[in-house]
Amino acid sequence: MAIVLSRGGLIGLKVGVGVGTLTTRFSCKMRKMMSVNMPCLPKFKSVVKDAKPTTSIVDDGFKFRVVSYNILAQVFVKSSFFPHSPSPCLRWKDRSQAILMVLKSLDSDFLCVQELDKYDDFYKEKLEMNGYSSIYIQRSGKKRDGCGIFYKHNSAELLLEEKIEYNDLVPSVQDENFPSVSQCGDAEVTEKAASVLVEGAPPAKDHGDRGDPNDPCVRLKRDCVAIMGSFKLKDPSDHHVIVANTHLYWDPHLADVKLAQAKYLQLRLSKFKSIISKKFGCNPSVIVCGDFNSTPGDKVYQCLVSGDSLTMPLLDGSEDLPIPLSSVYAFTGGEPTFTNCTPGFTNTIDYIFFSPSGYLKPVAVLELPGPESSDVVGGLPNFLHPSDHLPIAADFEIIQT
């Protein structure tokens, strides 16, 4: 038994009993079946009563599709991180084409992609050829991946975007007049979010590359990011929707940092929604996607679904309330058994949250494999799934009011 290497989503203990045998058998079987990566094609399950499963949006009423997918940044793709994966599955040439095939096959109006590297020299151009525009934020630090939102030209028009650096939480502890905060006008916001750092929180392990992790300024600096955009849907109602995409920090020993990031996201989202409402005279729906590195029911999850203003005080003179959210899978029947699958960690950490405001109605979700499914035996990535995460997706219907 060994500690799993510290990569987003790998947050458990690695137990090797039986894994090697299963992986070998699976790899040999798949090698015989396929000479190149051929990912599973998506199948959507209707959540409308008495409706049949579908692979496309049904025709009555305006509907749009949202996908969230941690594609596994190539910088993390090393055989030492994924010894259970067949080596051909880790090669950029094959993985890139497999990921692109998955993204295309999902036929989504909005693609929220995490661990997105090679954005400028691959994904942006390739997806533009398929009718997508995009917005992107790259995180600072040594690992140069980020979060992107790709949206179809014929489905939505981008009105405004905003980028979030969770490192902005650092100066709220260190110096509230730090330029990056004062320029955003969010000194009080970051102070509120950073206040969730619990006195006496479990000490974090010092990996020797950042400084003392128990120093709040060091503890909060994790180079994580988010991006959000306000869109006007090209439907008869011209409904406005805010789509946000994020990747929170991975380390289970820094649960307070993840919670601070989640609260900061909620506060920034509330302010953004207020700006959009006033600027465009609308009441936008809100969809929040991402890899939250948090399991169903934990503090981050509860924070997001409760919109708890008691634990997240309002700014002085502000009317921006935290936005209550629902997980689309929980709302329509239950969270998946897992969205991240490796021999060392298998659980649900990816979500699509939405504001159940009366304007949006989930009508279908992407079906995910169960733990006994042959396509996930031995852990991911493999020939059928090019990332260690599974994509999740939902179809929404605009409710005319």
Side-chain angles (χ1 to χ4, degrees), residues 193-233:
S195 68
V196 303
L197 288 172
V198 181
E199 199 172 318
K205 296 181 179 179
D206 187 350
H207 298 293
D209 59 345
R210 291 179 178 267
D212 180 6
N214 301 301
D215 177 345
C217 295
V218 174
R219 194 177 184 93
L220 283 165
K221 190 177 185 301
R222 298 292 146 179
D223 304 328
C224 299
V225 293
I227 190 166
M228 51 191 172
S230 173
F231 299 89
K232 184 171 72 170
L233 299 178

Coordinates of all heavy atoms in Angstrom, one line a residue, residues 193-233:
A193 N -14.1 35.0 2.1 CA -13.9 33.6 1.7 C -12.7 33.0 2.5 O -12.8 31.9 2.9 CB -13.6 33.6 0.2
A194 N -11.7 33.8 2.7 CA -10.5 33.3 3.3 C -10.8 33.0 4.8 O -10.0 32.3 5.5 CB -9.3 34.2 3.2
S195 N -11.8 33.6 5.4 CA -12.1 33.5 6.8 C -12.5 32.1 7.2 O -12.6 31.8 8.3 CB -13.2 34.5 7.2 OG -14.4 34.1 6.6
V196 N -12.8 31.2 6.2 CA -13.1 29.8 6.5 C -11.9 29.0 6.9 O -12.1 27.9 7.3 CB -13.9 29.1 5.4 CG1 -15.1 29.9 5.0 CG2 -12.9 28.9 4.2
L197 N -10.7 29.5 6.8 CA -9.5 28.8 7.2 C -9.7 28.6 8.7 O -9.7 29.5 9.5 CB -8.3 29.6 6.9 CG -7.9 29.6 5.4 CD1 -6.7 30.5 5.2 CD2 -7.5 28.2 5.0
V198 N -9.8 27.4 9.1 CA -10.1 27.1 10.5 C -8.9 27.1 11.4 O -7.9 26.4 11.0 CB -10.8 25.7 10.6 CG1 -11.2 25.3 12.0 CG2 -12.0 25.6 9.7
E199 N -9.0 27.8 12.5 CA -7.9 27.8 13.4 C -7.7 26.3 14.0 O -8.7 25.7 14.4 CB -8.2 28.7 14.6 CG -7.0 29.1 15.4 CD -7.3 30.2 16.4 OE1 -8.0 31.2 16.0 OE2 -6.8 30.1 17.5
G200 N -6.6 25.8 14.0 CA -6.3 24.5 14.5 C -6.7 23.4 13.4 O -6.9 22.2 13.8
A201 N -6.8 23.8 12.1 CA -7.0 22.8 11.1 C -5.9 21.8 11.0 O -4.8 22.1 11.4 CB -7.2 23.5 9.7
P202 N -6.2 20.6 10.6 CA -5.1 19.6 10.5 C -3.9 20.1 9.8 O -4.1 20.6 8.7 CB -5.8 18.4 9.8 CG -7.2 18.6 10.0 CD -7.5 20.1 10.1
P203 N -2.7 19.9 10.3 CA -1.5 20.4 9.6 C -1.3 19.7 8.3 O -1.6 18.5 8.1 CB -0.4 20.1 10.6 CG -0.9 19.0 11.4 CD -2.4 19.2 11.6
A204 N -0.9 20.4 7.3 CA -0.7 19.9 6.0 C 0.8 19.4 5.9 O 1.7 19.9 6.6 CB -0.9 20.9 4.9
K205 N 1.0 18.4 5.0 CA 2.4 17.9 4.8 C 3.2 18.9 4.0 O 2.7 19.5 3.1 CB 2.3 16.6 4.1 CG 1.7 15.5 5.0 CD 1.7 14.1 4.2 CE 1.0 13.1 5.1 NZ 1.0 11.8 4.4
D206 N 4.4 19.1 4.4 CA 5.3 20.0 3.7 C 6.0 19.2 2.5 O 6.8 18.3 2.8 CB 6.3 20.6 4.6 CG 7.2 21.7 4.0 OD1 7.1 21.8 2.8 OD2 7.9 22.4 4.7
H207 N 5.6 19.5 1.3 CA 6.2 18.9 0.2 C 7.5 19.5 -0.3 O 8.2 19.1 -1.2 CB 5.2 18.8 -1.0 CG 4.0 18.1 -0.7 ND1 4.0 16.7 -0.5 CD2 2.7 18.5 -0.6 CE1 2.7 16.3 -0.3 NE2 1.9 17.4 -0.3
G208 N 7.9 20.6 0.4 CA 9.2 21.2 0.2 C 9.3 22.1 -1.0 O 10.4 22.6 -1.3
D209 N 8.2 22.4 -1.7 CA 8.3 23.2 -2.9 C 7.5 24.5 -2.8 O 7.5 25.3 -3.7 CB 7.8 22.4 -4.1 CG 6.3 21.9 -3.9 OD1 5.8 22.0 -2.8 OD2 5.7 21.5 -5.0
R210 N 6.8 24.7 -1.7 CA 6.0 25.9 -1.6 C 6.3 26.7 -0.3 O 5.8 27.9 -0.2 CB 4.5 25.5 -1.6 CG 4.0 25.0 -2.9 CD 2.5 24.6 -2.8 NE 2.0 24.2 -4.1 CZ 1.4 24.9 -5.0 NH1 1.2 26.2 -4.8 NH2 0.9 24.4 -6.1
G211 N 6.9 26.1 0.6 CA 7.1 26.8 1.9 C 6.2 26.1 2.9 O 5.7 25.0 2.7
D212 N 6.1 26.7 4.1 CA 5.3 26.1 5.2 C 3.8 26.1 4.9 O 3.2 27.2 4.8 CB 5.6 26.9 6.5 CG 4.8 26.3 7.7 OD1 4.2 25.3 7.5 OD2 4.8 27.0 8.7
P213 N 3.2 24.9 4.7 CA 1.8 24.9 4.3 C 0.8 25.3 5.4 O -0.4 25.5 5.2 CB 1.6 23.4 3.9 CG 2.6 22.7 4.7 CD 3.8 23.6 4.8
N214 N 1.4 25.4 6.6 CA 0.5 25.9 7.7 C 0.6 27.4 7.9 O -0.1 27.9 8.8 CB 1.0 25.2 9.0 CG 0.9 23.6 8.8 OD1 -0.2 23.1 8.6 ND2 2.0 23.0 9.0
D215 N 1.3 28.1 7.1 CA 1.3 29.5 7.0 C 0.1 29.8 6.1 O 0.0 29.4 4.9 CB 2.6 30.1 6.4 CG 2.6 31.6 6.1 OD1 1.5 32.2 6.2 OD2 3.6 32.1 5.9
P216 N -0.9 30.6 6.6 CA -2.1 30.9 5.7 C -1.8 31.4 4.4 O -2.5 31.0 3.4 CB -2.9 31.9 6.6 CG -2.5 31.6 8.0 CD -1.0 31.2 7.9
C217 N -0.8 32.2 4.2 CA -0.5 32.8 2.9 C 0.0 31.7 2.0 O -0.2 31.7 0.8 CB 0.6 33.9 3.1 SG -0.1 35.3 4.0
V218 N 0.8 30.8 2.5 CA 1.3 29.7 1.7 C 0.2 28.7 1.4 O 0.0 28.1 0.3 CB 2.5 29.0 2.4 CG1 2.9 27.7 1.6 CG2 3.7 30.0 2.5
R219 N -0.6 28.4 2.5 CA -1.7 27.5 2.4 C -2.7 27.8 1.3 O -3.2 26.9 0.6 CB -2.4 27.4 3.8 CG -3.3 26.2 4.0 CD -3.8 26.2 5.4 NE -4.6 25.0 5.7 CZ -4.2 23.9 6.3 NH1 -2.9 23.8 6.6 NH2 -5.0 22.9 6.5
L220 N -3.0 29.0 1.1 CA -4.0 29.4 0.2 C -3.5 29.5 -1.3 O -4.3 29.5 -2.2 CB -4.6 30.8 0.6 CG -5.6 30.8 1.7 CD1 -5.8 32.2 2.3 CD2 -6.9 30.2 1.3
K221 N -2.2 29.6 -1.5 CA -1.6 29.8 -2.8 C -1.5 28.5 -3.5 O -0.5 27.8 -3.4 CB -0.3 30.5 -2.7 CG 0.2 31.0 -4.1 CD 1.5 31.8 -3.9 CE 2.0 32.4 -5.3 NZ 2.2 31.3 -6.3
R222 N -2.5 28.1 -4.3 CA -2.5 26.8 -4.9 C -2.7 26.9 -6.4 O -2.9 25.9 -7.1 CB -3.7 26.0 -4.3 CG -3.5 25.7 -2.8 CD -2.3 24.8 -2.5 NE -1.7 25.1 -1.3 CZ -0.6 24.5 -0.8 NH1 -0.1 23.5 -1.5 NH2 -0.1 24.8 0.3
D223 N -2.7 28.1 -7.0 CA -2.7 28.3 -8.4 C -3.9 27.7 -9.1 O -3.9 27.4 -10.3 CB -1.4 27.7 -9.1 CG -0.1 28.2 -8.5 OD1 -0.1 29.4 -8.1 OD2 0.8 27.4 -8.4
C224 N -5.0 27.6 -8.4 CA -6.3 27.1 -9.0 C -7.1 28.3 -9.6 O -6.9 29.4 -9.2 CB -7.1 26.4 -8.0 SG -6.3 25.0 -7.3
V225 N -7.9 28.0 -10.6 CA -8.6 29.1 -11.3 C -10.0 28.7 -11.6 O -10.4 27.5 -11.5 CB -7.9 29.4 -12.6 CG1 -6.5 30.0 -12.4 CG2 -7.7 28.1 -13.5
A226 N -10.8 29.7 -12.1 CA -12.1 29.5 -12.6 C -12.4 30.5 -13.7 O -11.7 31.5 -13.8 CB -13.2 29.6 -11.5
I227 N -13.4 30.2 -14.5 CA -13.8 31.2 -15.5 C -15.3 31.1 -15.7 O -15.9 30.1 -15.5 CB -13.1 30.9 -16.9 CG1 -13.3 32.1 -17.9 CG2 -13.5 29.6 -17.5 CD1 -12.4 32.0 -19.1
M228 N -15.9 32.3 -15.9 CA -17.4 32.3 -16.2 C -17.7 33.3 -17.2 O -17.0 34.3 -17.5 CB -18.1 32.6 -14.9 CG -17.7 33.8 -14.1 SD -18.4 33.8 -12.5 CE -17.6 35.2 -11.7
G229 N -18.8 32.9 -17.9 CA -19.3 33.8 -19.0 C -20.8 34.0 -18.9 O -21.5 33.1 -18.5
S230 N -21.2 35.1 -19.4 CA -22.7 35.4 -19.5 C -23.0 35.2 -21.0 O -22.4 35.8 -21.8 CB -23.0 36.8 -19.0 OG -24.3 37.1 -19.3
F231 N -24.0 34.4 -21.2 CA -24.4 34.1 -22.6 C -25.9 34.4 -22.8 O -26.7 34.2 -21.9 CB -24.2 32.6 -22.9 CG -22.7 32.2 -22.8 CD1 -22.2 31.7 -21.6 CD2 -21.9 32.3 -23.9 CE1 -20.9 31.3 -21.5 CE2 -20.6 31.9 -23.8 CZ -20.1 31.4 -22.6
K232 N -26.2 34.9 -24.0 CA -27.6 35.0 -24.4 C -27.9 33.9 -25.4 O -27.2 33.7 -26.4 CB -27.9 36.3 -25.1 CG -29.4 36.5 -25.5 CD -29.7 37.9 -25.9 CE -29.1 38.2 -27.3 NZ -29.6 39.5 -27.9
L233 N -28.8 33.0 -25.0 CA -29.1 31.8 -25.8 C -29.9 32.3 -27.1 O -30.7 33.2 -27.0 CB -30.0 30.9 -25.1 CG -29.3 30.3 -23.8 CD1 -30.3 29.3 -23.1 CD2 -28.0 29.5 -24.1

